[in-house]
Amino acid sequence: MHTLSLWVVLLMTLSARAQWPSDPSTNLVLGALAGEQTTPLVRATQAGGAWVLWYDTASGNYDVRLQLLDAEGLPQFAANGLLVSDHAMTSFITEWDLGVDGEDHAIVVTNDVRDGEDWEIYAYRISPAGDFVWGANGIRLSDNDGSDVGQRILATVGGDIVIAWQQDTASNGSAVVLHRLSPAGEDVWEPASRVLTSTFGLSIPRMAATSDDGFLLSVVDVQGSSFSSPRHLYLRRFDAAGNELWTPGGTPLNTVGGIGFQMRPDVLNDGSDGAVCWWYDSHLSNQLHTWVQRVDAAGQIRWAANGVMVGNPAELQTSPVLALDMASQDVIVAWQSANLGQTQVGMGAQRLDSTATPLWGANGLSLAPLGGPQQFRLGLHALADGSSLLAWQEYDAGSAINSSIKGLGLSPEGTPLFAGPVDLTTTVSQKGYLSTALISAGSLLAVWADQRSGPSDVYLQNLNPDGSLGPTGVLPEPTLQVLSPASGDTLRLQPARIELAVENFVLSETEGDGLVRGFVTGPDGMSTFSTAETSLAVDLDTPGDYSITFLLVDHALQPIDPMVSADLVFHWFPPQLSIVGPQPDQELAELPIAVSFLLSGFELGDGLGHLAVHLNGEPLADHSSLDPLLLDVALSGSNTVELALRDAQGNPLDPAVEASVSFLYTGTGIDRALPGDFELSDAAPNPFNPSTSFSLRLGQSEFLRMSVYDLRGRRVAVLLDGQVAPGEHRVSWSAPSAPSGLYIVRLERLTAGGTLRDSMSRKVIRLN
């Protein structure tokens, strides 16, 4: 092996990988075509990266585009992302959603007017490789005479996707529609959609997954027919089949009104299938305040009726965002604040323990005191250690147009994690539509629309828990592992099957991070290959010892830095098959003839493989055990038996593994009349379903065994076994569960001690 020279070459050609952006004056541009890129959304992946979705008007229409970032901030698709949809859309775009399922596929749910003037709902599932699993045009979920808006996506714990939206039609007013799809895009429920209605209308659906593959749903229920009618808030729970589990209509969270149509309540699972719900309303003295409620898994309210206020009653709190510290069950809330006259604005935060006790003072923290510039579009995320990161937009001093994106961190005690706030971008420009996510490295991602270069483009910046931008410092490193075979194993089949596991590195022939490169050293020297697959079929030519070094490489086939490798050492020797009896050209006169063989390196049996048997060039029943093969057919003169290994699918091995022997038969065969007054008829009916029978005539008492065999040589039924009196007999075989096919029925005449005297056979065909 040339191991030393191989590693010298590799160490001289390491390739560095991309990182998250670290310059707040440039950030990372994701969408910058002519026209406007707007309304972005960002969602974290389990692999440590994120999907980003936005609208694009380069074509004159509001097209939908999508980009995937890996764990180090490298876009996985070409510049400006994948085109998801260019179907007709109005110039007025509505609230929409982006989800990520358990396989890190993006779930995109849009509404457009491709089939008419009203908005209809369409869903797409897109793999990390950019494959459109649900078709290039997605799946249409709605078809009615009204508008479908406010769609929301939930990936269930079982892998399905639940989509909720608000349906406004002339026939039923405002309703909430639920639709569940499998990962393959098939409807799970029958009927496919659940339409939830109330007397005056439901709206603003929000969902959280539960451990039983169901979900929690919060909805706003209007209490009258006028625009000013009160709106109440309810939480409902559904199982995987779409059945409602709690009191019909749900658990009341707010029954005192004050919720306006612009308000957006939301819900989180608390880790035990209970819920944390939050919203703001004006039910108290017609003043806007933020409220939080806890509900247990049985639908029972845990905190005060109509919620717990989180801030100063002498100030207003609006547009709250919430994060849950799963370990402590503390709730962290941040909000926009204002004085009662709404002439001064600021920003606040509070932390409540599981009993609703405030931990950051009775009125919470003032993150931005009243009287400064306005903060808005907040994004809050809890870190694993109980601290939290917050990002927001803030108008520049003296401007109500240009704004900045800022961030800060808070410890569980409410103290700053770093000196801040930190500017995530330093460009002076009009910005909008901030969306945030937290990746597994603990870094907050902020995505927004930015007019620094004219019509808005989509930019991204990350914020680390230490206040830095760019590389997280705790990036999940790429890993490469050989799952099978184990080093030292002996492989028998061709090609050699090798399974790899690759983490935190996106394999793709043209996009992604790069490829796996293999260096194979064997009896014939060294060879190389590269692949984007983790299930490999490696062709081997010469039996012997092999070693393979696997490397993660970029698309120029250069190893990444630091180098990631895995080694496999194995032996490759094909199976060995030889016939040990009868001896070549041996003379035999008695039936059955036992063909004995030796087999190494291969297993026979169901799902494993078998021996294909030929006698004088004609196929016989396959053989699936190591027991001798019994030849019990008409023979005469010179005969040749050929055995060949077949895999579980019935295919010849590569290289072929075969053995044969020739012998001379001097007996009279078995399809002759048995001595004595003895007759066995053919089967009737034949073919049959599900039963057939034979007529048996004996002139004297006989010891008989009558068995049924399939074409693998396996006994599937015994019809007679013992002493049978003279006379006429009817022998039946009923096989209601037997598969269709050819079967051999063998009648053996035995001595009283069980020794085979002679036999005969009949063929029957079972048809389903």
Side-chain angles (χ1 to χ4, degrees):
M1 300 182 187
H2 309 286
T3 305
L4 179 60
S5 60
L6 167 64
W7 286 108
V8 170
V9 172
L10 296 179
L11 290 171
M12 295 175 60
T13 57
L14 294 177
S15 171
R17 302 179 75 218
Q19 302 284 332
W20 294 104
S22 56
D23 187 349
S25 67
T26 57
N27 309 117
L28 174 63
V29 60
L30 297 176
L33 293 172
E36 178 186 29
Q37 288 75 50
T38 187
T39 325
L41 296 173
V42 58
R43 300 289 184 264
T45 65
Q46 297 176 81
W51 288 97
V52 182
L53 181 73
W54 67 91
Y55 280 115
D56 168 71
T57 65
S59 69
N61 179 64
Y62 277 96
D63 297 339
V64 178
R65 289 191 172 271
L66 182 71
Q67 182 62 272
L68 173 64
L69 303 173
D70 71 3
E72 295 184 5
L74 177 68
Q76 302 299 287
F77 305 131
N80 298 299
L82 290 176
L83 176 63
V84 176
S85 170
D86 57 2
H87 291 289
M89 180 59 180
T90 64
S91 60
F92 179 78
I93 52 179
T94 68
E95 186 179 41
W96 62 338
D97 201 12
L98 168 66
V100 180
D101 67 14
E103 296 180 343
D104 269 350
H105 287 52
I107 310 299
V108 178
V109 180
T110 67
N111 59 350
D112 59 46
V113 294
R114 71 182 75 171
D115 293 317
E117 296 181 356
D118 62 299
W119 290 307
E120 303 292 355
I121 301 291
Y122 299 86
Y124 299 79
R125 183 171 186 249
I126 301 169
S127 76
D131 300 321
F132 283 63
V133 180
W134 292 347
N137 294 312
I139 298 173
R140 180 172 179 168
L141 299 181
S142 67
D143 185 7
N144 56 73
D145 59 357
S147 293
D148 297 284
V149 297
Q151 54 269 31
R152 275 294 183 270
I153 301 166
L154 175 72
T156 73
V157 297
D160 289 344
I161 307 299
V162 178
I163 300 155
W165 66 89
Q166 180 177 321
Q167 180 186 88
D168 296 320
T169 66
S171 58
N172 65 3
S174 176
V176 167
V177 183
L178 306 173
H179 197 110
R180 186 170 181 132
L181 296 171
S182 72
E186 299 167 338
D187 293 330
V188 174
W189 294 334
E190 178 59 41
S193 296
R194 300 281 191 270
V195 180
L196 308 181
T197 62
S198 69
T199 303
F200 297 104
L202 300 176
S203 61
I204 316 174
R206 297 292 186 268
M207 295 181 291
T210 53
S211 62
D212 60 355
D213 203 24
F215 56 96
L216 299 162
L217 172 74
S218 72
V219 290
V220 173
D221 190 339
V222 64
Q223 302 299 300
S225 59
S226 70
F227 182 80
S228 60
S229 295
R231 290 171 170 82
H232 294 172
L233 180 62
Y234 292 87
L235 182 68
R236 305 165 76 161
R237 183 172 176 179
F238 296 82
D239 65 15
N243 301 310
E244 192 156 5
L245 300 181
W246 296 342
T247 302
T251 296
L253 303 175
N254 168 309
T255 58
V256 288
I259 298 177
F261 69 93
Q262 80 283 9
M263 300 174 182
R264 293 293 182 265
D266 217 329
V267 57
L268 281 176
N269 188 312
D270 65 2
S272 301
D273 288 341
V276 178
C277 304
W278 67 100
W279 69 95
Y280 74 103
D281 64 46
S282 61
H283 80 263
L284 186 63
S285 303
N286 201 32
Q287 297 171 358
L288 297 171
H289 297 292
T290 289
W291 307 86
V292 180
Q293 183 59 273
R294 299 288 299 254
V295 180
D296 66 22
Q300 301 301 307
I301 293 292
R302 290 180 53 190
W303 289 353
N306 295 303
V308 172
M309 187 191 302
V310 297
N312 187 346
E315 295 179 359
L316 307 181
Q317 305 99 35
T318 61
S319 303
V321 288
L322 182 145
L324 177 63
D325 179 359
M326 285 293 184
S328 67
Q329 286 292 292
D330 291 350
V331 171
I332 309 111
V333 190
W335 61 83
Q336 296 173 226
S337 58
N339 62 357
L340 297 183
Q342 301 188 51
T343 59
Q344 296 180 316
V345 295
M347 182 171 61
Q350 178 61 280
R351 189 179 183 107
L352 304 174
D353 69 11
S354 60
T355 66
T357 301
L359 302 179
W360 291 346
N363 297 323
L365 302 176
S366 176
L367 301 180
L370 298 180
Q374 182 179 1
Q375 296 80 29
F376 54 103
R377 294 196 179 97
L378 282 57
L380 178 67
H381 302 275
L383 303 180
D385 63 359
S387 57
S388 54
L389 292 177
L390 175 68
W392 67 92
Q393 283 184 243
E394 182 177 300
Y395 281 123
D396 295 343
S399 176
I401 297 177
N402 294 333
S403 64
S404 300
I405 309 295
K406 297 179 179 291
L408 59 78
L410 294 171
S411 72
E413 295 73 32
T415 58
L417 294 181
F418 46 81
V422 172
D423 286 312
L424 275 63
T425 176
T426 56
T427 61
V428 177
S429 61
Q430 185 174 346
K431 303 177 181 68
Y433 303 105
L434 174 66
S435 178
T436 63
L438 187 75
I439 59 174
S440 57
S443 183
L444 180 148
L445 303 184
V447 177
W448 67 92
D450 194 314
Q451 297 188 27
R452 68 181 69 175
S453 301
S456 63
D457 298 325
V458 173
Y459 287 82
L460 176 144
Q461 183 59 59
N462 71 311
L463 171 67
N464 298 318
D466 62 358
S468 65
L469 309 181
T472 65
V474 288
L475 289 173
E477 294 293 340
T479 62
L480 172 62
Q481 179 184 5
V482 180
L483 297 180
S484 66
S487 278
D489 279 359
T490 297
L491 307 186
R492 300 290 186 177
L493 301 184
Q494 168 81 308
R497 299 290 177 179
I498 301 173
E499 298 293 330
L500 305 177
V502 176
E503 300 290 340
N504 307 315
F505 188 88
V506 178
L507 295 174
S508 173
E509 293 289 350
T510 57
E511 305 291 346
D513 294 322
L515 305 166
V516 172
R517 193 174 187 192
F519 296 81
V520 184
T521 302
D524 298 326
M526 179 184 287
S527 61
T528 66
F529 65 87
S530 59
T531 178
E533 303 297 326
T534 56
S535 183
L536 311 182
V538 179
D539 289 320
L540 307 173
D541 296 323
T542 304
D545 297 333
Y546 285 82
S547 69
I548 305 180
T549 295
F550 298 98
L551 292 174
L552 296 184
V553 299
D554 63 17
H555 288 103
L557 300 184
Q558 301 305 311
I560 65 173
D561 185 15
M563 187 162 56
V564 178
S565 65
D567 294 306
L568 172 64
V569 176
F570 62 94
H571 318 283
W572 181 64
F573 294 100
Q576 302 296 311
L577 173 66
S578 60
I579 296 175
V580 296
Q583 297 299 311
D585 300 323
Q586 181 179 355
E587 293 187 7
L588 301 170
E590 296 293 331
L591 290 176
I593 292 173
V595 180
S596 302
F597 57 91
L598 295 177
L599 176 63
S600 63
F602 192 86
E603 292 188 68
L604 300 176
D606 289 343
L608 300 172
H610 62 271
L611 282 168
V613 182
H614 284 74
L615 176 63
N616 300 325
E618 296 296 326
L620 297 182
D622 295 336
H623 191 69
S624 300
S625 77
L626 294 175
D627 296 333
L629 169 69
L630 299 180
L631 296 180
D632 198 7
V633 296
L635 295 172
S636 64
S638 179
N639 301 272
T640 300
V641 178
E642 298 168 313
L643 305 180
L645 287 182
R646 298 288 188 263
D647 64 18
Q649 289 72 45
N651 302 313
L653 302 192
D654 181 14
V657 179
E658 301 171 339
S660 64
V661 67
S662 297
F663 62 91
L664 185 66
Y665 181 68
T666 60
T668 59
I670 66 165
D671 269 330
R672 61 193 184 279
L674 295 179
D677 190 4
F678 190 113
E679 293 182 2
L680 177 66
S681 71
D682 290 331
N686 190 20
F688 70 95
N689 179 3
S691 61
T692 187
S693 63
F694 304 84
S695 177
L696 174 64
R697 186 174 64 82
L698 301 179
Q700 62 186 26
S701 177
E702 300 279 2
F703 289 93
L704 302 177
R705 181 187 298 125
M706 192 171 182
S707 306
V708 183
Y709 296 86
D710 65 14
L711 289 183
R712 292 285 182 91
R714 298 170 298 188
R715 181 183 291 171
V716 298
V718 177
L719 308 183
L720 286 176
D721 192 7
Q723 189 171 8
V724 181
E728 297 282 347
H729 301 274
R730 175 67 62 176
V731 183
S732 298
W733 179 35
S734 181
S737 59
S740 295
L742 177 66
Y743 294 85
I744 306 299
V745 180
R746 174 184 169 97
L747 178 63
E748 299 171 324
R749 190 164 68 154
L750 311 171
T751 66
T755 301
L756 178 66
R757 296 170 62 192
D758 40 39
S759 65
M760 65 171 54
S761 61
R762 298 288 185 265
K763 296 179 181 179
V764 295
I765 298 175
R766 170 77 163 89
L767 292 180
N768 287 331

